[in-house]
Amino acid sequence: MWLHLGRHAKHRLLMRIIQGMVVLLFLFILAYPFLEANTLTVHQTQIGNTSLSAGMRPLRIVFLSDIHMQSWPFFTQSRLSGLVRKINAQNPDLVLFGGDYANSPERTEAFFRALPVIRANYGVFAVLGEHDRPEDPAQMSLLRAAMVAKNVTPLVNDVVSVRIGTDTVIQIAGLDDISTGSPALTEVSSQCRSEQFVIFVCHNPEVLPDAQIALDASGKRNWFDLGLFGHTHGGQIAPFRELLGIAPTVPDEYTHGILTEGKATLVVSNGIGTSVLPIRLFCPPELHVIIATYPQ
């Protein structure tokens, strides 16, 4: 057909093809931030730590934060079920949640009531974010009950010891939210023993400068080995972090990613959901799988 067209007809057809491609490219550019917001990535990180037993098998830790269920467009029950299937598919030993499960304490309670069963060998633990934390003690009791009913241990200025296998005990320390709660950092750190493997979980990484100088039960700094944080969404629109005003007071070095300070590996998650606008750009939602072993 192309061979039978005249020169002007060929030119018009070529221009229409180019115009169509430009329109498609423009539509893709417009749609991409919405598509990225719904594309979950799984990041696997391996860390070695001498506080773990040399003979123990690798410890698989799944961490996620900032689900924002029922935010616009709604993070539905179907998406929550898919998320839990993804978590369970990682064969986790521990699952740790970093807060902001919804956009209000009432909806956070509903989130945990709707949460499907998470399978983890040594338990599921969760801290609260600024959107989760009730002011009313009675409402806080209801939220705790909803979490415990789904076998999720709430960590609100709490430290728990978990036996891994037969000869390893680790500690998980969870701090209350630093903006809407009553964080007790020194009380939490002083319950930890730096000779054990300690996981420190807090919703907001803004706490890190103070956490790094806090002391453990023996008066030592460097009291935790793995720090897990959310809150920032990684900026959500990475090239224009300030545009949405998400976590504006968090230092740039703690916006997202994995870094090392002292003996601690720090993970600041992009989170799962969105805030303000239902879009992400070069900042996909993420699930972290941290594999902790004794150094080879």
Side-chain angles (χ1 to χ4, degrees):
M1 178 180 176
W2 176 267
L3 295 176
H4 297 288
L5 293 175
R7 183 166 60 87
H8 293 295
K10 289 180 180 178
H11 178 73
R12 287 196 299 270
L13 180 59
L14 182 60
M15 290 304 298
R16 287 173 183 168
I17 293 172
I18 293 173
Q19 289 170 355
M21 293 176 66
V22 170
V23 170
L24 289 174
L25 179 61
F26 179 70
L27 291 175
F28 176 77
I29 291 172
L30 287 179
Y32 178 78
F34 296 91
L35 296 173
E36 184 178 300
N38 291 278
T39 305
L40 182 64
T41 59
V42 178
H43 288 298
Q44 186 166 295
T45 304
Q46 186 158 334
I47 61 174
N49 193 281
T50 55
S51 297
L52 298 170
S53 299
M56 68 175 284
R57 66 175 179 81
L59 183 68
R60 294 180 64 86
I61 303 163
V62 170
F63 173 62
L64 65 159
S65 187
D66 298 274
I67 295 170
H68 288 284
M69 188 173 178
Q70 297 178 334
S71 59
W72 180 71
F74 297 138
F75 192 105
T76 62
Q77 179 67 44
S78 175
R79 284 190 65 189
L80 179 59
S81 296
L83 176 62
V84 171
R85 285 195 297 271
K86 181 75 76 172
I87 293 170
N88 289 337
Q90 309 310 314
N91 299 314
D93 291 311
L94 296 167
V95 174
L96 302 172
F97 283 98
D100 275 6
Y101 309 99
N103 290 334
S104 70
E106 296 81 8
R107 288 184 172 181
T108 292
E109 183 183 334
F111 165 87
F112 281 104
R113 295 193 187 284
L115 184 68
V117 174
I118 297 176
R119 296 188 298 271
N121 294 324
Y122 301 111
V124 183
F125 304 85
V127 298
L128 300 181
E130 76 272 16
H131 292 293
D132 309 313
R133 186 67 164 82
E135 294 183 8
D136 180 15
Q139 191 176 4
M140 185 66 174
S141 296
L142 290 174
L143 175 55
R144 282 182 176 271
M147 297 169 76
V148 171
K150 291 304 174 78
N151 294 318
V152 177
T153 300
L155 298 177
V156 186
N157 295 328
D158 296 303
V159 179
V160 295
S161 295
V162 180
R163 179 169 292 279
I164 307 296
T166 59
D167 58 355
T168 301
V169 175
I170 70 170
Q171 293 183 300
I172 305 173
L175 192 67
D176 199 0
D177 183 66
I178 67 172
S179 58
T180 59
S182 301
L185 179 60
T186 56
E187 288 83 350
V188 167
S189 68
S190 66
Q191 297 177 58
C192 297
R193 298 186 177 278
S194 55
E195 64 270 17
Q196 293 183 322
F197 185 78
V198 178
I199 303 173
F200 174 46
V201 192
C202 182
H203 175 66
N204 191 335
E206 193 175 345
V207 75
L208 271 167
D210 290 331
Q212 295 288 19
I213 61 174
L215 305 178
D216 76 348
S218 301
K220 300 176 183 177
R221 293 186 181 179
N222 291 318
W223 57 278
F224 62 95
D225 302 277
L226 176 62
L228 304 174
F229 310 90
H231 183 58
T232 68
H233 297 204
Q236 195 167 304
I237 304 178
F240 312 103
R241 176 192 165 195
E242 289 81 11
L243 188 63
L244 297 183
I246 298 173
T249 58
V250 173
D252 288 343
E253 61 268 31
Y254 299 139
T255 301
H256 69 96
I258 300 172
L259 59 152
T260 302
E261 288 190 357
K263 72 169 186 174
T265 299
L266 310 177
V267 177
V268 184
S269 175
N270 288 350
I272 300 292
T274 59
S275 183
V276 184
L277 293 173
I279 60 175
R280 285 179 174 270
L281 187 59
F282 308 133
C283 186
E286 59 188 8
L287 188 72
H288 284 275
V289 180
I290 300 106
I291 301 173
T293 63
Y294 187 86
Q296 300 301 316

